[in-house]
């Protein structure tokens, strides 16, 4: 993958103020800011808020990420220049990829005007990345926990595989990702959470079933529906979560995840998800994600496009061959480097302590109602169906602790 940085960041003030650099210590305040093309955590686009945050920090240099330059979706506006005008700083832009009639990349704002700016490729020339997953065991675990129909298992399997792909790419210790699919299908709303390779899922109607389609495949689009949205919530454990949302394309989920990567992360992607389920038994399940990275050559793009048709039978291929064999066969002439293996498992992190906090959050009025009318409380986890029961005395203790 080609990444770029501004060499001006390292030498800017020594270039402009040689006397200060040689005779005294000068404090320089740097700020790194992923502006998400001006969109906040509420998904509202407002460059004024971005400029206000920069103004409060009052940095000498700001390194901007996820910046548009004269793209169609921004009506041809040059975002770095606008931010520069709002903040009273000098603006520079570095294109990473062509996008929507313009450019998409990183930017630089500085109090002093740079004498020169150069774009330098960082080490590493990888042009694409691939995630290949076998999720048969965790799909079986989910089907058993939810006592799900074959169609529901097929849909859950695809959603868990797609969510696990997002999860393993988040390397921060406390990071997790939640994917919510609400398409109006017979299965209702599905929610999947991944913390690294640990995945859990809940489904409104896991017993709903549909006959196979004419091609013999499970009717996942009918179970999921396509009149709704796919929402991705990335929580890095600090700050506000990143939220991306798209309208569903097909409800088959592979095409929908590909649309999410393109529309929300501006990353061209091939996503193929599949499973083979028979009478409650998951015979094979998994998927593949192929992404072109910034700077990917036309030759590599063409080679990836030609391979897209190979992934249409992904569940059958995963049943017949190992992950290593498939990777070697599909990418043998593309200088492939295998980087790592990650374990996957179905794991729910619900606990009695979490349930206690949830009950306390209900407030005094509702806790008193549970004590006086129900004399107990029973909470059931939607991800693993474990029941957590609290007696009247335990509820009174929670009430007392909440009042202290």
């Amino acid at each position: 993958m080609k990444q770029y940085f501004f060499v001006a960041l390292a030498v800017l003030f020594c270039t402009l103020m040689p006397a200060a650099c040689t005779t005294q210590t000068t404090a320089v305040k740097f700020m790194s800011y992923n502006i998400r093309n001006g969109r906040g955590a509420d998904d509202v686009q407002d460059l004024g808020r971005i400029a206000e945050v920069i103004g409060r920090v009052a940095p000498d240099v700001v390194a901007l990420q996820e910046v548009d330059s004269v793209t169609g979706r921004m009506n041809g506006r040059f975002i770095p220049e606008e931010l520069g005008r709002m903040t009273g700083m000098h603006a520079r832009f570095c294109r990473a990829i062509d996008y929507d009639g313009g450019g998409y990349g990183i930017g630089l704002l500085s109090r002093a005007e740079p004498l020169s700016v150069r774009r330098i490729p960082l080490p590493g020339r990888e042009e694409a990345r691939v995630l290949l997953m076998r999720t048969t065991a965790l799909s079986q675990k989910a089907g058993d926990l939810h006592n799900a129909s074959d169609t529901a298992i097929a849909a859950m399997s695809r959603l868990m595989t797609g969510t696990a792909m997002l999860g393993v790419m988040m390397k921060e210790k406390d990071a997790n990702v939640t994917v919510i699919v609400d398409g109006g299908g017979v299965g209702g709303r599905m929610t999947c959470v991944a913390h690294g390779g640990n995945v859990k899922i809940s489904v409104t109607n896991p017993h709903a079933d549909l006959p196979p389609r004419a091609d013999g495949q499970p009717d996942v689009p009918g179970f999921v529906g396509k009149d709704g949205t796919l929402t991705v919530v990335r929580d890095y454990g600090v700050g506000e979560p990143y939220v991306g949302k798209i309208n569903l394309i097909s409800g088959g989920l592979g095409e929908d995840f590909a649309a999410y990567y393109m529309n929300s992360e501006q990353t061209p992607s091939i996503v193929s998800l599949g499973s083979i389920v028979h009478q409650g038994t998951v015979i094979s399940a998994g998927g593949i994600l192929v992404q072109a990275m910034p700077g990917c050559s036309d030759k590599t793009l063409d080679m990836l496009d030609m391979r897209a048709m190979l992934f249409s039978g992904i569940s059958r291929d995963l049943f017949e061959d190992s992950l290593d064999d498939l990777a070697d066969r599909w990418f043998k002439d593309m200088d492939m480097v295998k980087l790592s293996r990650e374990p996957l498992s179905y794991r729910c992190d619900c606990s009695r302590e979490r349930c206690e906090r949830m009950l306390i959050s209900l407030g005094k009025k509702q806790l008193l109602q549970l004590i006086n009318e129900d004399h107990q409380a029973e909470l059931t986890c939607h991800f693993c169906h474990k029941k957590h029961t609290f007696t009247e005395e335990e509820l009174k203790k929670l009430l007392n602790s909440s009042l202290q």
Side-chain angles (χ1 to χ4, degrees):
M1 176 181 70
K2 289 184 179 177
Q3 296 176 306
Y4 300 97
F5 72 101
F6 283 100
V7 70
L9 283 177
V11 301
L12 177 64
F13 286 89
C14 286
T15 301
L16 296 177
M17 298 179 291
C21 291
T22 57
T23 62
Q24 67 183 49
T25 300
T26 302
V28 179
K29 184 183 288 187
F30 290 88
M31 178 182 185
S32 179
Y33 196 174
N34 187 330
I35 66 171
R36 296 184 57 229
N37 198 35
R39 292 188 181 278
D42 56 4
D43 211 34
V44 174
Q45 194 168 60
D46 187 344
L47 290 180
R49 291 192 302 187
I50 303 295
E52 183 181 349
V53 171
I54 295 172
R56 287 201 303 267
V57 176
D60 296 296
V61 179
V62 187
L64 303 171
Q65 300 93 49
E66 293 198 40
V67 185
D68 270 28
S69 170
V70 296
T71 58
R73 67 175 177 178
M74 295 302 294
N75 298 317
R77 294 158 59 193
F78 184 35
I79 301 306
E81 185 179 66
E82 290 190 27
L83 284 173
R85 190 165 55 249
M86 291 177 180
T87 58
M89 303 179 78
H90 298 275
R92 297 292 186 271
F93 175 74
C94 179
R95 180 192 301 257
I97 60 172
D98 296 329
Y99 181 73
D100 195 17
Y104 178 83
I106 58 177
L108 176 73
L109 299 176
S110 61
R111 295 289 174 198
E113 185 173 5
L115 297 179
S116 65
V117 176
R118 286 189 296 154
R119 188 176 74 168
I120 302 174
L122 294 175
R125 301 184 60 83
E126 295 81 8
E127 295 185 275
R129 65 179 175 185
V130 177
L131 270 173
L132 184 57
M133 286 189 170
R134 173 176 283 110
T135 56
T136 306
L138 69 88
S139 299
Q140 186 68 66
K141 181 70 175 289
D144 293 343
L145 280 172
H146 294 284
N147 191 25
S149 69
D150 283 5
T151 311
I153 295 173
M156 288 192 296
S157 170
R158 295 187 190 187
L159 181 55
M160 286 190 294
T161 303
T163 305
M165 290 173 173
L166 288 164
V168 298
M169 289 191 289
M170 298 176 69
K171 299 303 183 182
E172 294 79 4
K173 179 181 177 182
D174 298 321
N176 65 74
V177 60
T178 301
V179 181
I180 304 165
V181 177
D182 196 352
V186 298
R189 181 171 176 165
M190 296 196 297
T191 302
C192 190
V193 182
H195 175 78
N198 296 324
V199 186
K200 61 182 181 180
I201 191 169
S202 69
V203 187
T204 303
N205 301 312
H207 310 308
D209 205 0
L210 292 170
R213 299 185 307 179
D215 59 3
Q217 297 296 314
D219 191 2
V220 172
F223 186 89
V224 173
K226 61 179 181 180
D227 298 321
T229 58
L230 182 148
T231 303
V232 176
V233 183
R234 293 176 180 265
D235 188 345
Y236 292 93
V238 294
E240 293 294 326
Y242 167 88
V243 181
K245 180 183 290 188
I246 64 157
N247 292 323
L248 288 168
I249 305 298
S250 68
L253 296 181
E255 187 179 3
D256 302 299
F257 271 104
Y260 163 77
Y261 285 117
M262 188 65 231
N263 295 328
S264 290
E265 301 188 3
Q266 289 74 50
T267 306
S269 305
I270 299 169
V271 184
S272 181
L273 309 171
S275 61
I276 302 173
V277 185
H278 180 67
Q279 295 182 357
T281 299
V282 182
I283 299 170
S284 176
I288 187 170
L289 167 67
V290 182
Q291 293 186 316
M293 306 312 294
C296 184
S297 66
D298 290 339
K299 177 182 177 182
T300 299
L301 286 174
D302 290 340
M303 294 174 73
L304 294 176
D305 285 340
M306 286 189 295
R307 281 161 172 76
M309 65 183 69
L310 299 176
F311 311 140
S312 59
I314 185 71
S315 53
R316 182 190 65 250
D317 292 323
L318 288 168
F319 176 73
E320 295 175 347
D321 294 297
S322 69
L323 297 181
D324 281 318
D325 288 345
L326 290 175
D328 291 339
R329 186 167 79 237
W330 287 337
F331 304 103
K332 62 182 179 180
D333 57 344
M334 296 188 67
D335 298 324
M336 176 183 62
V337 177
K338 297 176 184 177
L339 297 178
S340 66
R341 288 178 174 271
E342 304 285 344
L344 300 175
S345 64
Y346 192 103
R347 182 174 299 176
C348 183
D349 54 356
C350 71
S351 65
R352 191 170 182 83
E353 290 73 23
R354 283 193 174 189
C355 291
E356 289 177 352
R357 292 195 296 269
M358 188 181 302
L359 287 168
I360 290 173
S361 71
L362 294 176
K364 177 181 176 181
K365 183 178 179 180
Q366 290 195 49
L367 273 176
L368 282 172
Q369 184 177 345
L370 288 172
I371 292 169
N372 297 327
E373 297 180 12
D374 300 329
H375 307 291
Q376 68 170 4
E378 183 178 89
L379 281 69
T380 302
C381 175
H382 293 298
F383 294 98
C384 68
H385 297 285
K386 184 177 180 179
K387 298 182 185 297
H388 300 271
T389 303
F390 294 83
T391 65
E392 183 174 343
E393 288 302 316
E394 289 170 329
L395 290 174
K396 288 179 179 178
K397 288 181 181 179
L398 291 177
L399 176 62
N400 290 334
S401 66
S402 69
L403 297 176
Q404 293 176 358

